Amino acid sequence: METVSQPAPQWINGIEPSKELLASNGTQILEFECREQPARLRELLNVYREDHTLRAEFARFRELNAAPGPVLFIGMGASYCSAISASIQLQSHGRSSFTVDAGEWLNYSQPVWSDAALSILITTSGESAELVELFKRGGDRPRGLICNNAASTCWHLAENKLPILAGPEYGNATKTYTNSTAAAIILASVIVGQPWQQDAERAFDVFSSSLDPIFARRDEIEAFCRGAANIEIVGRGAAYGGAIMSALCIREMSGFRAAPHTGAGFRHGPNLDVDGSHVAIIFALGRTASLGVKLAQECDRRGGKVVLVSSENHEETDRLYPVRIEAVPEPWEGIVSLLVPQALTLAMVERTGCRLPPRFQYGVMEQ
C-alpha cells in the first residue's frame, strides 16, 4: 500500500514556532504579542533609518510619486487601518491620497486604476488573494508593497517593496498593525520630503512607556465597560484607523460587538441612541482633540459612559474613565491610540475566554 506523504507545514512567515508558543492559548498569545510591540517597532525604526537598501527603495518611491494623480494605499482589515495614517500624512502636506479596500478596488475600480500616480499595497501575509490578484492585474501601473513576509507571493511579484519587520504573528493583528502603520507613515513622509526620525522617536517613547501602565489598568477599564450593550470606538484623522483596528481586535478576540466611527459620523448618527447601556471609547487626540472631549461630554449628558483617551487630564466620574497618553506628532496617534483597546481586549478574554485560537500556519487564501 502506497504511503501518502503529508505536505510540509506552511508556518507563518516560514518560521516554525517554538514548542512553548505552540502550546500557548489565544489569551497568552495576545498578551505576548502586545508586549512585543515596542521591541519590534524599535527594530523597524533602526532599520529604516540605517539600511542603505531601504534608502534606495525610498528614492524609487519618490520618483514614482512624481506622476500626476493621487497616491493610493490599498489593503484589507488591519492593513487597511494601517494605511489611513499614511493617507492623512500625505493629505496634510498637500498631496492627494486615499485609502481604499483591496476587495472593493479589485472588483469595482479597475477602469479608474490608471488615474492613480502610485498604488501602495499593504499586506501582512503577502498571500491574501485580493492583493495577489491586484499585483497580477496591475500591468505596468506604478505599484509598491509594504509586507511582513519576504517569502510571500506578493513580495516576489513586487518590484518596489518595504518590510514590516514585525516577525511572525499568531493572533489578532497587534505588532503587524503597529509596524505597518509606522512603515506607511515613514514612506508617506519620504514621499512629501518631510523628516520623520524625530517624530518617530517621540512616538516610540510615548508608546513604549505607556504600554505597561495602561495594561496594568486593564481590569479597571474592563470593569468600567462591563454590561454595555456594545462598544463604539470613535477617532478622527489617523486615530480613525486606530478605531477600526480596535473594533476588529475586540470582536475577533472576545466576540463582543464593537463598531468604529469617525467623530463626525458618530455625532450625526449613533450619537442619537446613546443611553445608559452605551459605552464609547473616544480618542481625543491630535488637532481635533477638543472635538473628542466635546463629544464625550455630550455622551455623558445623554447618560452614556465614555473611556476618554486624551493628552490632557480629566476628572474621573461614574460615567467618564479618563486615560492620559502623552501627545505625539501627527499622524502617529494612529499607533498610540491602540493601547487602551488592546488592554481592554486582554482583560475581556482573561475574564470570559478567548474566541480566536492562535494560527501558526497559513490557511487557504481566497476571496
Side-chain angles (χ1 to χ4, degrees):
M1 188 173 183
E2 264 186 51
T3 301
V4 179
S5 60
Q6 295 294 321
Q10 286 189 296
W11 300 116
I12 300 291
N13 277 39
I15 299 173
E16 182 175 357
S18 66
K19 291 180 180 179
E20 290 76 16
L21 281 173
L22 287 171
S24 299
N25 61 35
T27 302
Q28 292 167 330
I29 289 290
L30 174 63
E31 180 167 11
F32 170 75
E33 293 186 335
C34 283
R35 294 189 184 278
E36 199 180 10
Q37 289 174 113
R40 293 296 185 175
L41 180 58
R42 175 75 277 162
E43 179 186 1
L44 180 136
L45 296 181
N46 289 344
V47 171
Y48 274 45
R49 184 178 59 248
E50 299 168 2
D51 190 284
H52 295 287
T53 303
L54 289 184
R55 291 182 188 176
E57 289 287 347
F58 287 144
R60 284 193 288 272
F61 275 108
R62 289 202 69 180
E63 291 172 7
L64 293 172
N65 171 65
V71 176
L72 299 181
F73 288 88
I74 305 175
M76 297 182 302
S79 296
Y80 174 87
C81 302
S82 296
I84 291 174
S85 293
S87 289
I88 292 294
Q89 177 75 335
L90 290 180
Q91 292 168 7
S92 297
H93 289 89
R95 184 69 172 91
S96 179
S97 179
F98 304 97
T99 298
V100 297
D101 178 273
E104 296 296 289
W105 192 258
L106 174 65
N107 290 300
Y108 296 103
S109 305
Q110 297 299 295
V112 298
W113 195 1
S114 296
D115 294 345
L118 171 63
S119 299
I120 299 164
L121 284 66
I122 305 181
T123 167
T124 295
S125 69
E127 301 292 355
S128 299
E130 290 83 351
L131 278 298
V132 171
E133 189 63 25
L134 283 170
F135 267 109
K136 291 179 177 178
R137 293 190 193 182
D140 59 356
R141 296 180 179 92
R143 283 161 296 154
L145 173 70
I146 298 175
C147 181
N148 197 47
N149 184 3
S152 66
T153 303
C154 284
W155 190 270
H156 291 301
L157 289 173
E159 184 177 349
N160 308 289
K161 48 204 172 188
L162 297 173
I164 292 174
L165 301 175
E169 186 174 64
Y170 305 120
N172 176 264
T174 51
K175 57 185 181 173
T176 54
Y177 168 82
T178 299
N179 272 29
S180 59
T181 302
I185 292 172
I186 292 169
L187 176 57
S189 300
V190 169
I191 285 175
V192 292
Q194 291 293 314
W196 58 268
Q197 290 90 339
Q198 186 173 346
D199 287 354
E201 287 299 324
R202 169 63 180 170
F204 170 79
D205 288 343
V206 172
F207 184 82
S208 59
S209 64
S210 300
L211 192 152
D212 285 344
I214 289 175
F215 271 57
R217 296 170 63 182
R218 65 185 183 271
D219 290 337
E220 290 183 13
I221 299 171
E222 189 275 331
F224 180 84
C225 296
R226 195 182 306 167
N230 60 2
I231 296 176
E232 320 253 24
I233 308 175
V234 184
R236 294 175 186 256
Y240 177 54
I244 304 174
M245 187 63 244
S246 299
L248 285 173
C249 184
I250 292 171
R251 295 185 75 150
E252 289 182 3
M253 300 303 290
S254 73
F256 191 85
R257 300 287 175 160
H261 307 274
T262 64
F266 183 85
R267 173 171 293 283
H268 296 285
N271 186 42
L272 298 175
D273 69 6
V274 171
D275 59 21
S277 71
H278 183 271
V279 170
I281 300 174
I282 297 178
F283 300 140
L285 302 168
R287 71 180 73 179
T288 58
S290 62
L291 294 176
V293 173
K294 181 180 176 182
L295 189 59
Q297 293 167 343
E298 186 167 341
C299 287
D300 179 78
R301 287 195 297 271
R302 291 174 178 268
K305 298 171 72 175
V306 174
V307 177
L308 182 62
V309 182
S310 169
S311 300
E312 304 295 331
N313 291 315
H314 296 275
E315 184 178 352
E316 182 176 350
T317 70
D318 290 343
R319 293 202 295 266
L320 180 70
Y321 188 95
V323 181
R324 186 175 182 274
I325 295 179
E326 294 286 343
V328 297
E330 291 185 350
W332 292 91
E333 63 265 30
I335 289 176
V336 298
S337 58
L338 259 292
L339 289 172
V340 172
Q342 283 181 351
L344 169 61
T345 304
L346 179 58
M348 291 172 78
V349 298
E350 285 174 333
R351 192 175 75 86
T352 62
C354 184
R355 181 173 179 171
L356 185 69
R359 186 183 68 155
F360 298 105
Q361 300 182 42
Y362 291 119
V364 177
M365 298 287 188
E366 58 184 5
Q367 294 190 54

